[in-house]
Amino acid sequence: MDNKANKTSSIKTVNPTTNEVEKVFDVMTEHQIEEIISAADKAFQFWRKTSFEERAKLLHKVASILRERKEDLGELCTIEMGKLKTEAIGEVALCADIFDYYANNGAKFLADSPLETPHGKAFLSYEPIGVLLSVQPWNFPFYQITRSAAPNIMAGNTFLLKHASNVPQCAAAMEKIFTEAGAPKGVYTNLFVPGSKISNLVADPRVKGAALTGSEPAGSSFAAMAGKYVKKSTLELGGSDAFIVLEDADLDKAVYTAAFGRLWNAGQVCVSPKRVIVMELVAEEFIKKAKAIYEKVVIGDPLDPSTQLAPLSSEKAAEDVIAQVEATVKAGAKLVYGGKRLNRSGAFMEPTILTGIKKGMLAYSDEIFGPVLCIYPVKNEDEAIKLANDTKFGLGGTVFGKDTDKAVKIARQIDTGMVYINHVTGIAPELPFGGTKNSGYGREQSPAGIYEFVNAKLIRITTPDAAY
């Protein structure tokens, strides 16, 4: 898998607010990796036999530690990848809720499920499959781990984390939390390895399943490798979410929701409202109101609670987003506001508004992972639906309008994994998260999240002379 981390001999934190190196970790040796996989495989042999109560006790303890340390862990997120500390604290609190959710509900979700049959009895027994490899990105350093780890450890699998190389302190912190919570050795382990090692990890016969959240190219390579070795995989990849504003929408609420939704995590969210589709009747006013909001946005130190827009995750991330904006404007789009780097240290850029985006322009087809609001005026709802579906991605989306029955009718016609009415695509433990098309496959969170890496084994009770 192509990854610049492949060429590094160390894994390090570079604070995107200052561009200074904060901490450096050594890449693990082949011997260390072998010991970790072996321990995970050994742990599975007994962890699979533990009771739901024992597994739930571990997850509840992890949740408790997360809540106790949410301030410090939130600050760690901010230092490593730049998000607002207020957002980071909320992320840690959400993780605690997800661990508690699976601890509280896992036994119910995984209870034997009876099947109707005219002869004898039959049921599904949900059984863990083994060591799971989870490859996660940097944009939500604790949440990305949690939604993969919580259901699978509750299901009886053991867990190997290969986290993004720019958030090593968060990766190490989560492993430490599991250890403090009483997790036996091998149940949850962090791997400090470059991307070049992922293929070998997937190929290892002791690894039985593989989950990845990341870019479309990384997902394609990852899925091909899992398929080669006949292993179950899940992918959560990019998104280009449509945010459809109907004519009857409360315009002020719609503008505010879209504008600040796009600034969430500095725009580095797969389910951020990346394409705001507005009826022509209200489009001019919508653009005017959005510009007024962005003109007043406070950009600065993400540790300062008054800051509204943090830096991007790295210098390269900022350069890439600026290049995408410039290429789109050069192709004929209109730059309504922003589009520039800030004259200060750190990976900062202005909040940006683009309109006049046509098919063939870079912003039309590519995911922009930064604070760039792309606004598309359309004549009617049919045109809005057509535009919403004219993307290779299908992760989330929003329909904003007072007539919720109509909004739901439109939502049903959008080819995507999730659609929220009058809200940006969100996150909750009990709600499934995942997409379709090039946004990946599989679901995390909700009851669905715990079934991805278990064996739904049929057990049939009958007699030799019974019909099948």
Side-chain angles (χ1 to χ4, degrees), residues 242-246 275-279 374 376-378 383-384 387-388:
F243 187 106
I244 298 175
V245 182
L246 303 178
R275 296 177 299 143
V276 180
I277 301 170
V278 187
M279 300 302 133
C374 297
Y376 296 78
V378 294
E383 194 173 307
L387 177 57

Side-chain angles (χ1 to χ4, degrees), residues 32 58 113 116 133 146 157 217 254 270 289 310 324 339 401 403 432 451:
Q32 288 174 310
L58 172 64
S113 178
E116 290 188 14
L133 172 66
T146 297
N157 296 316
C270 294
K289 289 178 179 290
Q324 287 176 303
D403 185 343
Y451 298 123

Side-chain angles (χ1 to χ4, degrees), residues 195-419:
S196 59
K197 298 294 184 183
I198 293 174
S199 296
N200 290 341
L201 293 170
V202 174
D204 192 293
R206 292 164 294 185
V207 172
K208 303 302 183 183
L212 176 140
T213 298
S215 69
E216 183 188 355
S220 176
S221 175
F222 189 79
M225 183 60 61
K228 178 180 178 180
Y229 292 98
V230 199
K231 296 183 182 181
K232 173 69 183 290
S233 65
T234 60
L235 301 177
E236 192 267 281
L237 309 178
S240 187
D241 287 13
F243 187 106
I244 298 175
V245 182
L246 303 178
E247 287 183 0
D248 72 338
D250 182 317
L251 201 62
D252 287 333
K253 289 182 180 179
V255 172
Y256 184 90
T257 301
F260 278 103
R262 193 67 183 104
L263 301 187
W264 173 27
N265 211 29
Q268 300 164 124
V269 183
C270 294
V271 290
S272 178
K274 299 188 178 80
R275 296 177 299 143
V276 180
I277 301 170
V278 187
M279 300 302 133
E280 285 182 349
L281 185 67
V282 296
E284 186 176 345
E285 187 178 358
F286 187 100
I287 293 167
K288 181 180 178 181
K289 289 178 179 290
K291 183 172 182 285
I293 289 173
Y294 278 6
E295 286 173 339
K296 297 177 182 178
V297 165
V298 178
I299 310 169
D301 183 353
L303 294 173
D304 185 336
S306 67
T307 298
Q308 295 174 301
L309 179 59
L312 277 80
S313 63
S314 68
E315 188 67 20
K316 184 178 185 307
E319 291 171 356
D320 287 348
V321 173
I322 292 293
Q324 287 176 303
V325 170
E326 290 177 347
T328 302
V329 172
K330 185 177 181 180
K334 180 181 178 182
L335 180 64
V336 175
Y337 184 77
K340 299 182 182 66
R341 291 292 302 271
L342 296 186
N343 185 23
R344 57 171 293 171
S345 63
F348 290 90
M349 71 171 288
E350 298 173 316
T352 300
I353 300 173
L354 293 174
T355 61
I357 303 165
K358 306 295 182 185
K359 193 161 188 158
M361 295 180 182
L362 189 147
Y364 188 95
S365 58
D366 288 13
E367 178 182 27
I368 297 181
F369 221 51
V372 181
L373 191 68
C374 297
I375 302 175
Y376 296 78
V378 294
K379 292 185 175 65
N380 52 49
E381 293 161 11
D382 288 341
E383 194 173 307
I385 294 166
K386 182 179 179 181
L387 177 57
N389 288 330
D390 191 18
T391 173
K392 63 183 176 180
F393 297 111
L395 192 53
T398 294
V399 181
F400 219 100
K402 293 178 181 176
D403 185 343
T404 55
D405 288 340
K406 178 192 281 189
V408 168
K409 183 179 179 180
I410 291 171
R412 292 183 187 278
Q413 299 175 70
I414 299 174
D415 189 8
T416 186
M418 305 168 282
V419 182

